[in-house]
Amino acid sequence: MIIVQISDIHIDRDDPSGVNAARLEACLAEIARLRPAPAAVLATGDLAEHGAAEEYAVLRRLLGRLEVPVYAIPGNHDERAAFMAAFAADGYLDPASEFAQYTFRTPALRVIALDSVVAGRPEGDLCDARLDWLARTLAAEPDTPTLIVMHHPPRVTGIRTMDAMGLADAAAARLASIVRRHPQIVRITCGHVHRPLFVAWGGTVLSVCPSVARLGRLDLAPDADDAASREAPGFQVHAWHDGVLVTHTVSAPAAGAE
């Protein structure tokens, strides 16, 4: 069983070149060739550059080419109401909820989606309501292998510009305390950073998916700037093998990748 993750697509109404849409199309072509076919595709935030309805319309048209279910969460570039309207027809979002949080099942894993967005801000947070919901949701099925999905990573990465708009420290600390109490969590996977990385955190593994839009250049200097790299767009394949989640990072050469 495999789950595909794409992130940070940034469909942009103000870019007449459509470079990010082309990069997404390259990733979708690679995903369509995967065998076995994914049980689900996760889209982990920053799907639209401005959170505009016309951007989500383009995104939905492109994602509609996939023959597997797509589950999305918002990122800091997304506008929550427009995001929820764009994906409402898929049925997994609760229109009565203030946040885009939900669960779904694959043949091997339960997936819990967390909404870490702070409206109008680049940094993320998880208020008591969101974290209490997570704690209750985890406690309800303590023996089910579980994947948590969110946009903002809950720890620093060493990439200065991204860490400056990471998850709030207090939220990360409380999230870690919840995660440590639930050994059924096999992974927390995120986006936001525009680079792939893995780190042990909270008694589990924290992973970050590369972006579909321009990847950030890896620069760990304390005075690093926010420079783009020339790398191809990418995505991740999370494969469940014998009770272990194994992750592969895939590059998808495309127009706009140099």
Side-chain angles (χ1 to χ4, degrees):
M1 192 279 303
I2 66 173
I3 297 174
V4 167
Q5 182 183 358
I6 55 176
S7 198
D8 298 271
I9 300 169
H10 292 274
I11 296 294
D12 188 353
R13 65 185 178 189
D14 294 334
D15 178 13
S17 72
V19 63
N20 289 344
R23 290 169 71 93
L24 175 58
E25 288 180 295
C27 289
L28 296 179
E30 294 294 328
I31 293 168
R33 285 191 278 268
L34 292 173
R35 296 293 182 272
V41 172
L42 309 174
T44 51
D46 280 4
L47 309 182
E49 178 68 15
H50 306 285
E54 58 265 42
E55 294 171 336
Y56 291 119
V58 172
L59 177 68
R60 290 305 310 258
R61 175 176 58 81
L62 295 174
L63 292 178
R65 300 175 184 177
L66 292 171
E67 297 182 355
V68 297
V70 177
Y71 296 88
I73 58 170
N76 49 285
H77 276 262
D78 294 300
E79 199 283 317
R80 189 183 281 116
F83 165 89
M84 293 184 77
F87 290 93
D90 293 348
Y92 56 83
L93 293 169
D94 180 359
S97 176
E98 181 181 358
F99 303 110
Q101 301 199 154
Y102 55 90
T103 68
F104 71 91
R105 295 180 182 278
T106 71
L109 295 171
R110 185 188 195 202
V111 180
I112 299 177
L114 280 179
D115 180 343
S116 61
V117 171
V118 179
R121 300 290 302 175
E123 64 270 19
D125 204 353
L126 293 169
C127 60
D128 287 347
R130 284 176 271 191
L131 288 169
D132 289 346
W133 174 85
L134 173 65
R136 292 193 304 272
T137 302
L138 287 165
E141 297 191 30
D143 300 320
T144 304
T146 299
L147 170 66
I148 294 178
V149 182
M150 55 194 293
H151 181 68
H152 296 82
R155 84 169 312 278
V156 297
T157 66
I159 301 173
R160 183 187 66 84
T161 54
M162 301 311 298
D163 290 340
M165 50 181 171
L167 191 71
D169 290 345
R174 187 174 174 208
L175 176 62
S177 71
I178 294 171
V179 170
R180 289 190 184 97
R181 296 198 299 271
H182 293 280
Q184 77 267 34
I185 299 169
V186 298
R187 179 76 58 85
I188 301 173
T189 189
C190 310
H192 190 54
V193 179
H194 286 229
R195 291 209 59 81
L197 62 92
F198 299 85
V199 62
W201 184 85
T204 188
V205 175
L206 171 66
S207 67
V208 176
C209 185
S211 56
V212 171
R214 291 277 186 161
L215 277 69
R217 178 165 54 86
L218 180 60
D219 189 343
L220 301 177
D223 59 349
D225 59 10
D226 188 16
S229 80
R230 297 176 179 270
E231 295 166 88
F235 60 93
Q236 287 182 330
V237 177
H238 305 295
W240 185 255
H241 288 296
D242 298 326
V244 176
L245 197 63
V246 179
T247 294
H248 306 269
T249 300
V250 183
S251 292
E258 301 174 34

